[in-house]
Amino acid sequence: CRSSQQGAGSGDGSRGSAAAETPSGEDFSLSLLDTNLPAEAETELRSFIAKRLTKGALFEGMGNVASVGLSIPEYKVGCYYCRFQQENLLEMATLEPDGSAPEYVVCLLGGSEKEDTFRLELDKYIQGLKISLGLEEKNLETCVKPYLRSWFENAVCPIQRVVQVFQEKLAFLLHAALSYTPVEVKNADERTEKDISRFLAAAGLQGLVQEGTMASLCIAMTEEQHRSVIIDCSGPQPQLHNAGSSKFCEDWMRAFVNGAEGGNPFLFRQILENFKLKAIQDINNLKRFIRQAEMNHYALFKCYMFLKNCGSGDILLKIVKVEHAGMPEARNVVTVLEEFMRE
């Protein structure tokens, strides 16, 4: 706050406020709202946040991850921190000439800087906090504090829980995410349904392939209603119907299942990122072969062999088919490849 009003925070599942605008010098105050850190560590974290604010290093709604040295525990921890303002105060801030509307900083602490792999999930989590946050003490106790204390379970652990529930059937989920196949979840509790949805979103290539390609693939898959994957969670183990798989997805499923012994949610997220990276590399390789095949029959054969051996040829071919729809020569190459793959 610019004045001595309510203020900022710290802690593993804690929060607080900053200045109404990016502060200069020390033209702001920090007041603790909630924390589960020991007092000494909380003071150290507050000092870290104050320095970042003084430098103007915190931007509204953009999460950051940094390593912070705290005396308890006696090693550096990863800290996700995000500066934000209450939704219903955004308009107020524009009306206040002195910009005195309070802002908040939420800090979430983990064992390392690996929170960076969950930055998008945590950013979304903070958006949910903005909705539930109110200045009334009653709302703080009943809504905000429980919400903050569940950040790890709700934002970091969904991928791990899906791996534990699906085990070897995870290959079907990976295939659905990679091929943009619609998925319907039936007879599941709310948390399981959200976990599956988050896993599919994290495993998909949204943002990594062209937006037009993604939209066209989603439309094409939605029109093929018989291709929708049905997940029935009424029994002890989920049952999947109309599900497809591939050698590529089965190989990566093994990596997840083998990693389940350690039970580290950050490891699962890293495996998922590697899965997507390999898929993008394969797509780019296929595109390069197709460009070469427009003028070279031997390169056409290389395309075919690559599709045959990569383990996900059917999916890759659909993706490049959509991307090359407006390129006659490349489209002809894709048509030939489709015929060879069918044979």
Side-chain angles (χ1 to χ4, degrees):
C1 295
R2 290 282 184 178
S3 59
S4 58
Q5 300 172 4
Q6 253 185 326
S10 60
D12 186 345
S14 64
R15 64 197 167 92
S17 90
E21 296 175 357
T22 302
S24 59
E26 295 184 358
D27 185 23
F28 63 92
S29 63
L30 294 175
S31 304
L32 178 67
L33 287 186
D34 183 33
T35 186
N36 61 358
L37 273 180
E40 184 179 358
E42 186 275 319
T43 301
E44 293 166 345
L45 183 58
R46 188 194 302 230
S47 174
F48 167 80
I49 293 298
K51 289 177 183 176
R52 293 295 172 114
L53 286 167
T54 302
K55 294 177 181 177
L58 272 74
F59 298 99
E60 173 77 28
M62 292 177 60
N64 300 272
V65 176
S67 181
V68 184
L70 301 178
S71 56
I72 304 173
E74 295 180 352
Y75 59 85
K76 293 198 173 201
V77 296
C79 174
Y80 167 91
Y81 56 97
C82 184
R83 170 178 170 242
F84 69 94
Q85 190 174 60
Q86 235 176 294
E87 290 288 357
N88 60 348
L89 287 178
L90 288 174
E91 294 181 9
M92 183 196 305
T94 61
L95 298 175
E96 293 287 341
D98 60 350
S100 59
E103 294 197 16
Y104 303 86
V105 177
V106 59
C107 302
L108 308 170
L109 301 183
S112 70
E113 289 187 56
K114 292 177 181 175
E115 282 83 354
D116 195 39
T117 59
F118 286 92
R119 188 195 303 261
L120 293 178
E121 284 86 347
L122 293 174
D123 283 347
K124 289 179 182 177
Y125 199 71
I126 300 307
Q127 290 297 317
L129 177 64
K130 290 170 70 171
I131 296 171
S132 63
L133 179 64
L135 294 178
E136 301 84 3
E137 188 65 27
K138 181 179 179 183
N139 191 51
L140 177 66
E141 292 294 332
T142 59
C143 298
V144 177
K145 287 186 178 182
Y147 186 88
L148 281 168
R149 277 160 171 69
S150 64
W151 75 270
F152 193 80
E153 281 294 313
N154 290 337
V156 174
C157 292
I159 293 173
Q160 181 182 26
R161 288 196 292 264
V162 168
V163 173
Q164 292 170 341
V165 169
F166 281 82
Q167 294 293 315
E168 294 189 354
K169 294 178 181 177
L170 194 71
F172 299 118
L173 279 188
L174 293 172
H175 187 271
L178 206 57
S179 61
Y180 304 87
T181 303
V183 174
E184 297 178 33
V185 181
K186 297 183 177 180
N187 305 314
D189 58 75
E190 184 180 0
R191 189 175 83 163
T192 300
E193 190 168 350
K194 283 184 177 178
D195 284 353
I196 294 172
S197 176
R198 287 172 178 171
F199 182 90
L200 290 168
L205 301 181
Q206 290 90 337
L208 299 177
V209 297
Q210 298 175 18
E211 287 187 16
T213 299
M214 186 179 71
S216 299
L217 280 166
C218 289
I219 293 171
M221 287 301 182
T222 304
E223 289 174 350
E224 297 180 33
Q225 290 300 323
H226 63 284
R227 288 294 308 278
S228 296
V229 175
I230 309 296
I231 301 176
D232 187 352
C233 298
S234 57
Q237 293 292 323
Q239 299 297 317
L240 290 89
H241 308 281
N242 303 330
S245 186
S246 66
K247 185 179 182 301
F248 180 81
C249 294
E250 288 168 3
D251 290 343
W252 281 97
M253 172 272 294
R254 293 291 173 195
F256 281 101
V257 172
N258 292 338
E261 297 176 4
N264 183 345
F266 298 104
L267 172 63
F268 291 123
R269 183 51 188 266
Q270 191 57 58
I271 294 173
L272 201 57
E273 291 302 313
N274 293 341
F275 163 79
K276 294 196 292 184
L277 177 61
K278 183 65 172 88
I280 289 295
Q281 288 174 342
D282 285 349
I283 290 170
N284 290 335
N285 283 333
L286 181 57
K287 287 181 185 177
R288 189 175 73 253
F289 291 148
I290 288 175
R291 284 196 300 270
Q292 295 170 356
E294 292 175 10
M295 300 172 289
N296 185 320
H297 285 185
Y298 177 69
L300 179 62
F301 179 71
K302 281 176 64 179
C303 276
Y304 167 67
M305 293 304 296
F306 176 78
L307 287 170
K308 191 175 177 182
N309 297 325
C310 69
S312 56
D314 58 334
I315 299 174
L316 298 186
L317 204 53
K318 283 182 179 175
I319 293 174
V320 297
K321 182 178 181 179
V322 171
E323 286 199 1
H324 292 93
M327 307 174 190
E329 292 183 352
R331 191 172 65 239
N332 291 338
V333 172
V334 171
T335 301
V336 173
L337 288 172
E338 283 182 317
E339 293 175 1
F340 271 100
M341 292 296 284
R342 275 197 298 269
E343 292 176 6

